[in-house]
Amino acid sequence: MTTAQAFADALAVSPYAGFLGVEAVSGSSDRAMMRFSPPLVGNPLLPALHGGSVAGFMELTATAALTAATQGTQGRPKPVDVSVAYLRSARPADTHARAQIRKVGRRIAYVHVLAWQEDEAAPVAEMTAHFLLADLDSTNN
């Protein structure tokens, strides 16, 4: 299986990705899109997407990219710590994200995700996260 297919499959099996309207960009192993829908709006006065939907979208993108890169051999990655920087209001529009896997160790992986709407050079948010790749209890037995 290609990493692009593994990435798409990792997103397709997630109920949360389905709820948010997240799908893999065709042929990509690190890029996803969250289609706009009214329930994603957090502030109707601006209007702007809810920060939780943007953060959830970026975490899903990172998890799918790690799953694809390891071909699922490590199990489903579990977030250890996540830091999100909201750079500007995310308008009610389709949002894109790209995950860059910076380091994959035996147990921990470090991923950076950038989210944007129309211009990748003008991101709406960025995320850095560490993920646990292997269950520590099962590796010590």
Side-chain angles (χ1 to χ4, degrees):
M1 176 183 319
T2 67
T3 55
Q5 186 60 50
F7 180 75
D9 290 349
L11 288 174
V13 299
S14 169
Y16 189 46
F19 170 76
L20 290 177
V22 176
E23 58 192 47
V25 172
S26 180
S28 176
S29 61
D30 65 353
R31 189 169 160 210
M33 180 172 60
M34 179 173 68
R35 299 228 180 254
F36 170 73
S37 67
L40 300 179
V41 172
N43 186 341
L45 299 177
L46 290 178
L49 295 180
H50 191 284
S53 62
V54 174
F57 166 50
M58 291 190 297
E59 185 177 320
L60 283 167
T61 303
T63 302
L66 277 173
T67 301
T70 61
Q71 292 290 314
T73 57
Q74 301 284 346
R76 186 153 181 88
K78 298 172 184 74
V80 175
D81 78 282
V82 176
S83 177
V84 178
Y86 297 99
L87 306 172
R88 60 180 43 86
S89 292
R91 295 173 297 96
D94 292 348
T95 306
H96 305 269
R98 179 183 312 276
Q100 295 177 328
I101 300 171
R102 300 280 171 92
K103 170 87 170 136
V104 177
R106 289 182 311 141
R107 295 185 177 146
I108 301 289
Y110 172 63
V111 183
H112 180 262
V113 180
L114 198 65
W116 70 94
Q117 292 186 308
E118 291 166 359
D119 183 9
E120 190 171 357
V124 296
E126 67 179 337
M127 179 188 89
T128 56
H130 290 92
F131 288 87
L132 181 64
L133 297 177
D135 184 5
L136 295 176
D137 289 334
S138 67
T139 58
N140 289 331
N141 292 335

